[in-house]
Amino acid sequence: MSDVKSGHRHKQRKTSGKSFLILPVMFFAAIYSILYFTISPVLSPAVSAVGMFFSDGVKSHNNTEYKNIFVPVPEDDKKSTRKEVSAKEIEYPRYGELFGELIIEDCGIDASLFMGDGDISLRNGVGIYYGSLVPGYGGTIMVAGHNNTYFNGLKNAKKGQTVKIRTSYGNYTYKIMDIAVKNATDPTAYDLTSKTENLVMYTCYPFDELGLTPKRCFVYAKFVSGPVIINKGGNDN
């Protein structure tokens, strides 16, 4: 009889021990879940922004996220002095492809140039708005970049500075003519119907803000030199 009671008491202590372990685990799991769903929506954008800030390191064109069709034309190459280039010679970039470089030495900007301004493009460089043109086509080229990474240097932009764009079919030079801060939705900020080649670079403003802001800093530059693309009908765009 005493053995049965002793076993019964031992069984009770064993069950109580399990409860002692399970209850705290359930408690901490519940607290973790509450904190995760409460803080995550606030914390995620900040973590993403920090990651984007520190991504502006050494440029790497060997990235599996995108296709690279950029083959630099050396300054002393005969191709670099051409006044015209046939559209048939050009591999027109598709959305998300790296096809050039944008350099503003006075602003400390040296960024990979992509077609399109999606997340992958702006995480790895700057991107042409998909609806504007690429250099050489005689119209508006709109280039976007993040204000706290690759286009942070636009805060140092001044009239008269030189902008260089290098592509596989030629090297281009533009001269900064104006800088303006406007609303992101301002229809007067650019003209996509222009028949004159011009470069419009833009980024969120102020420069020290994280995430999207209602204002943009626009930097306007005019065409100085570079090959003109002819026979546009021959280009398979």
Side-chain angles (χ1 to χ4, degrees):
M1 188 70 175
S2 61
D3 290 340
V4 173
K5 288 182 179 180
S6 175
H8 181 67
R9 287 198 299 271
H10 179 70
K11 185 175 181 181
Q12 284 182 326
R13 287 197 297 270
K14 187 175 182 181
T15 303
S16 299
K18 288 183 178 179
S19 299
F20 179 77
L21 292 173
I22 292 173
L23 288 175
V25 170
M26 293 178 64
F27 174 76
F28 284 114
I31 294 297
Y32 176 81
S33 298
I34 293 172
L35 289 175
Y36 177 81
F37 289 109
T38 302
I39 299 175
S40 180
V42 178
L43 189 61
S44 294
V47 171
S48 177
V50 170
M52 180 181 67
F53 182 82
F54 286 106
S55 69
D56 188 11
V58 178
K59 285 191 301 179
S60 174
H61 293 168
N62 299 316
N63 195 312
T64 57
E65 286 189 306
Y66 53 80
K67 180 181 178 182
N68 176 17
I69 64 170
F70 176 43
V71 180
V73 177
E75 295 292 343
D76 57 353
D77 192 291
K78 290 182 179 179
K79 289 174 66 175
S80 67
T81 60
R82 291 188 299 179
K83 300 297 183 183
E84 296 180 344
V85 58
S86 172
K88 295 180 180 179
E89 299 179 40
I90 297 174
E91 181 182 359
Y92 199 92
R94 298 181 183 276
Y95 190 88
E97 291 182 340
L98 188 161
F99 77 100
E101 284 183 317
L102 187 149
I103 302 167
I104 311 176
E105 293 180 356
D106 292 326
C107 297
I109 294 175
D110 186 350
S112 298
L113 180 62
F114 292 79
M115 170 55 79
D117 54 2
D119 290 340
I120 292 177
S121 298
L122 299 192
R123 186 164 63 246
N124 293 282
V126 298
I128 288 184
Y129 169 69
Y130 205 63
S132 62
L133 299 175
V134 300
Y137 273 88
T140 300
I141 308 157
M142 289 191 64
V143 183
H146 284 309
N147 60 336
N148 40 35
T149 57
Y150 293 96
F151 262 179
N152 181 261
L154 285 184
K155 63 187 177 185
N156 300 315
K158 293 181 175 58
K159 294 180 181 180
Q161 291 176 342
T162 297
V163 183
K164 296 179 181 179
I165 292 182
R166 303 177 66 197
T167 72
S168 301
Y169 54 88
N171 300 321
Y172 292 81
T173 302
Y174 302 85
K175 181 180 179 181
I176 295 178
M177 303 302 293
D178 197 13
I179 302 103
V181 174
K182 299 183 179 182
N183 289 328
T185 56
D186 189 340
T188 68
Y190 52 86
D191 179 12
L192 293 178
T193 66
S194 175
K195 301 301 181 183
T196 302
E197 179 146 338
N198 67 101
L199 174 65
V200 181
M201 299 170 287
Y202 63 101
T203 189
C204 287
Y205 183 87
F207 287 94
D208 57 353
E209 289 288 330
L210 294 177
L212 289 175
T213 65
K215 292 187 178 295
R216 301 287 182 272
C217 175
F218 291 91
V219 178
Y220 303 93
K222 72 174 184 178
F223 174 82
V224 175
S225 65
V228 176
I229 298 173
I230 58 173
N231 189 25
K232 298 177 184 177
N235 182 41
D236 183 17
N237 185 356

